[in-house]
Amino acid sequence: NKTTGGLTDEDRLLLGFIYRQANSVFEYGLGESTYIANHVGVPRYVGIDSDVEWVDQTRKQVAPHFRFYYGDVGNIGDWG
């Protein structure tokens, strides 16, 4: 998956390189980097996001061992 989260191709390559070497990743805010973590096979992943629908959608598109949590921060805009 390729989203429009603002990463450049150079960013994607660098993040993929870093994530390939990682044993675990924690992110606040799910998005393109989450899909990169999935693509390179991060063995332990935890992410939190403030948009419950986005959490549910992302969960369906990545490896089953990825863990997601909803962080209720009140009303949100387009980017949580």
Side-chain angles (χ1 to χ4, degrees):
N1 288 330
K2 189 171 183 181
T3 65
T4 57
L7 295 179
T8 65
D9 286 341
E10 185 176 296
D11 294 334
R12 290 179 190 98
L13 290 172
L14 178 59
L15 193 56
F17 175 78
I18 293 168
Y19 278 5
R20 264 189 210 93
Q21 299 174 56
N23 293 320
S24 62
V25 169
F26 173 82
E27 293 185 315
Y28 181 81
L30 310 178
E32 189 168 4
S33 57
T34 308
Y35 294 120
I36 292 170
N38 182 65
H39 179 75
V40 301
V42 169
R44 186 171 59 189
Y45 177 95
V46 176
I48 186 169
D49 200 277
S50 58
D51 184 334
V52 70
E53 292 176 16
W54 183 244
V55 171
D56 289 341
Q57 178 182 337
T58 305
R59 182 180 283 127
K60 295 173 186 173
Q61 297 180 42
V62 297
H65 69 274
F66 277 38
R67 297 290 174 245
F68 299 110
Y69 297 92
Y70 166 64
D72 186 355
V73 295
N75 293 333
I76 58 171
D78 290 341
W79 289 92

